[in-house]
Amino acid sequence: MSKTIIALDFSSEREVFDFLDRFKKPVFVKIGMELLYSCGLGIISSIKNRGHQIFLDLKLHDIPNTVRAAMRNLASLNVDMVNVHAMGGLEMMRAALSGLEEGKKGDKRPLLIAVTMLTSTSVDIMNRELRIQGSVEDTVISYAKNAHSARLDGVVCSVNETDLIHREVSEKFLTVTPGIRLENDSTDDQKRVATPQIARLKGSDFVVVGRSITRSLEPERVYSHIEEIMSSKLDI
Ligand code: C5P
């Protein structure tokens, strides 16, 4: 499985396939709400039929029974990775996993990842609006522990939280990290960014990369470069 996930932050099918046609080999892509809601579910099989792997980033959060049924349907689409909000609680996360097991095609179910705290949530929002006390970091670790005890496969987190999660939760618990930029790239709207080298050194299992690849004049070259770093031994 590729360790570099390209965020397909496009709003039309045409843009997606113009972009993917520039790759000679299959890649791992992330489809979010924007693309799915504008193109419909058909885009998933069109991308799958071309051999690509898919992280379907829909961040489910609902009552356990609904999430279980939704996950059963998502598993039948044969996607490779899906996610839920850890804030939905242990029972919801366990139900999500059961739904994936029930709906999977063949032996393999999609990997199930939890979103801990959205990076747009500041400590102030968390304390005053969501009424969760303490630091964001403590909440992230405690939600990651919940996700691990519900037997999920990992969490979405920032590169800065990766080693802490591996230390406090489990070395084998997967960390999927966005906010990646090559050294000379613009940071755009991302507040905290890391290079693929740092992500690799800190132990990220997957990096999610959008604009550094999608806006590049040579997307395949940039993708291969990042993938090489992510797959390299640690003495880089
Ligand atoms: O273009 P860029 O590399 O910043 O895109 C990052 C992708 O990762 C986007 O799809 C963004 O929504 C997603 N993401 C993020 N930060 C999070 C969670 C997801 O940037 N905390």
Side-chain angles (χ1 to χ4, degrees):
M1 197 172 218
S2 162
K3 291 168 181 296
T4 308
I5 305 174
I6 308 175
L8 290 182
D9 293 325
F10 298 114
S11 47
S12 74
E13 205 161 322
R14 174 81 185 271
E15 285 174 282
V16 167
F17 290 113
D18 282 350
F19 173 75
L20 288 176
D21 284 346
R22 302 179 68 184
F23 290 82
K24 287 184 221 73
K25 288 189 197 155
V27 290
F28 195 172
V29 298
K30 177 171 89 69
I31 299 180
M33 290 187 245
E34 181 190 356
L35 186 62
L36 193 75
Y37 297 159
S38 69
C39 299
L41 283 178
I43 192 149
I44 293 175
S45 50
S46 307
I47 291 177
K48 271 271 146 191
N49 289 341
R50 291 166 188 232
H52 303 295
Q53 292 184 307
I54 298 179
F55 169 19
L56 194 54
D57 177 22
L58 300 179
K59 301 185 181 74
L60 270 57
H61 184 174
D62 208 319
I63 59 169
N65 193 48
T66 300
V67 170
R68 177 194 208 118
M71 283 297 182
R72 202 182 296 136
N73 291 327
L74 294 187
S76 75
L77 299 174
N78 218 3
V79 292
D80 302 279
M81 186 185 279
V82 292
N83 59 2
V84 290
H85 271 286
M87 210 180 260
L90 276 167
E91 196 190 335
M92 188 206 76
M93 289 193 274
R94 290 194 189 107
L97 191 61
S98 305
L100 290 179
E101 286 291 348
E102 289 159 12
K104 72 184 176 192
K105 292 220 171 133
D107 298 337
K108 232 179 97 214
R109 64 160 174 83
L111 290 172
L112 179 57
I113 303 295
V115 175
T116 51
M117 193 57 66
L118 291 172
T119 41
S120 52
T121 308
S122 63
V123 67
D124 202 45
I125 295 177
M126 196 185 83
N127 295 160
R128 289 171 198 266
E129 290 177 32
L130 306 181
R131 322 241 347 135
I132 300 167
Q133 298 314 307
S135 70
V136 172
E137 196 174 78
D138 287 347
T139 310
V140 167
I141 292 296
S142 131
Y143 282 9
K145 284 181 178 166
N146 285 349
H148 184 250
S149 75
R151 299 186 162 273
L152 269 61
D153 301 294
V155 283
V156 180
C157 63
S158 85
V159 168
N160 298 312
E161 291 154 356
T162 304
D163 49 355
L164 187 63
I165 286 170
H166 281 152
R167 246 182 298 128
E168 297 270 325
V169 183
S170 157
E171 199 53 51
K172 292 200 181 114
F173 200 49
L174 299 174
T175 51
V176 180
T177 59
I180 303 296
R181 288 292 180 275
L182 298 176
E183 244 144 50
N184 298 321
D185 284 348
S186 138
T187 56
D188 304 300
D189 53 351
Q190 295 281 16
K191 300 270 184 303
R192 291 187 301 159
V193 296
T195 61
Q197 281 89 347
I198 299 288
R200 176 72 191 102
L201 283 169
K202 296 253 188 184
S204 294
D205 297 286
F206 294 92
V207 285
V208 177
V209 190
R211 288 161 286 187
S212 286
I213 297 178
T214 56
R215 289 201 190 151
S216 161
L217 295 173
E218 299 175 284
E220 189 170 38
R221 192 188 60 74
V222 177
Y223 177 81
S224 306
H225 172 63
I226 298 174
E227 187 57 13
E228 216 166 89
I229 294 166
M230 289 303 294
S231 313
S232 64
K233 294 248 170 354
L234 264 182
D235 51 346
I236 45 173

